[in-house]
Amino acid sequence: METDGRASRAGRFKQALLASDDVAIIAEIKRRSPSRGDLNARLDPADMAVAYRDGGASCLSVLTNQEMFGGSGDDLAAAARASDLPVLRKDFITTAEDVHESYAMGADALLLIVADLATAQLAELHEQALSLGMDVLTEVKSEAELEAALKAGADVVGVNQREKPKSAAFTMDYQRAERMAPLFPDDVVKVAESGIAIPGGTTMAEVRDAGYDAALIGEALVTSGDPVKRLRELLA
């Protein structure tokens, strides 16, 4: 277990999602995406994190992958320091070294993508993250992947509506989160991801009606010009 004073932070991410009276928003900091190109190339992660906090976000998600998203561990650390919100490290995490690196960055939670991991590996990395005091957002795109996530012990699960996160093609299924919501056990925190609150995408009303606890929102916020106002609109 953690020994450097972070014990009091254990579980912060999950707790923040459950503490909201409305659908909690995990507000994402990212400069670009493989499909959309530059979204907000010059954003300052600390300033954006403060805006998200002031707008009512429950947690932050920070892209740390440089090649595809223009992010870094420094972005995560800066956002965490500036806002004191629980921070998810969003990256393609596949090894024990990645988990320890997430912890060293100051992440309160990390992303594990079922499609990228064998079931045994998923369970091992999940347990390792928990042992360090971090929460895990386990990402799925199908009923079979949800079953694998639950088998691995996942208690916070996100439904990604994007087909291929690493692809330059913008392929979305805006009804996936709604279809999959009834498959979740009652004791699992449900998160809707990708295509939320963008033009023509999944609305916050649809996320609420489907019974999700939280929504992870990036593009709609980083491109808004006024993330505080946009967050307040989404939470209204």
Side-chain angles (χ1 to χ4, degrees):
M1 194 65 175
E2 59 268 59
T3 58
D4 62 357
R6 284 183 58 186
S8 63
R9 296 173 64 90
R12 290 180 78 227
F13 182 81
K14 180 180 177 181
Q15 290 166 11
L17 299 184
L18 293 174
S20 177
D21 293 331
D22 192 4
V23 175
I25 291 182
I26 306 167
E28 188 157 87
I29 295 173
K30 64 177 176 181
R31 295 182 173 85
R32 64 174 183 261
S33 75
S35 61
R36 296 299 211 190
D38 286 342
L39 298 172
N40 189 340
R42 297 186 179 182
L43 70 79
D44 181 282
D47 290 345
M48 188 67 77
V50 170
Y52 286 165
R53 181 197 64 198
D54 293 347
S58 296
C59 299
L60 303 179
S61 168
V62 180
L63 271 299
T64 60
N65 180 279
Q66 171 63 35
E67 181 181 359
M68 295 184 183
F69 298 97
S72 69
D74 289 341
D75 286 352
L76 188 149
R81 284 195 304 268
S83 69
D84 200 37
L85 289 176
V87 182
L88 167 76
R89 182 192 181 188
K90 194 173 182 189
D91 209 322
F92 302 107
I93 294 170
T94 59
T95 68
E97 289 75 16
D98 293 336
V99 174
H100 281 286
E101 183 181 63
S102 303
Y103 177 80
M105 286 178 187
D108 296 284
L110 55 78
L111 179 73
L112 293 179
I113 302 172
V114 172
D116 290 347
L117 300 164
T119 301
Q121 187 182 21
L122 176 66
E124 181 180 346
L125 296 181
H126 188 277
E127 178 57 32
Q128 183 183 7
L130 295 183
S131 74
L132 291 170
M134 292 184 287
D135 289 312
V136 177
L137 174 60
T138 305
E139 182 176 286
V140 304
K141 297 197 296 292
S142 68
E143 182 174 357
E145 289 186 1
L146 176 59
E147 291 176 358
L150 298 176
K151 184 177 180 181
D155 58 353
V156 182
V157 178
V159 176
N160 190 346
Q161 299 192 122
R162 186 168 178 195
E163 291 296 329
K164 298 178 179 180
K166 300 177 184 179
S167 171
F170 189 70
T171 51
M172 300 289 296
D173 178 354
Y174 293 121
Q175 285 74 49
R176 178 178 290 154
E178 182 179 9
R179 288 197 311 272
M180 289 190 62
L183 305 176
F184 279 74
D186 291 340
D187 60 347
V188 172
V189 179
K190 301 187 292 294
V191 182
E193 302 177 40
S194 298
I196 313 296
I198 65 172
T202 305
T203 67
M204 281 294 286
E206 289 170 328
V207 173
R208 289 186 183 97
D209 290 346
Y212 278 84
D213 300 293
L216 193 155
I217 303 177
E219 181 178 337
L221 295 176
V222 296
T223 63
S224 69
D226 189 342
V228 175
K229 179 181 177 182
R230 185 65 177 127
L231 268 166
R232 289 174 177 169
E233 290 171 350
L234 294 174
L235 290 167

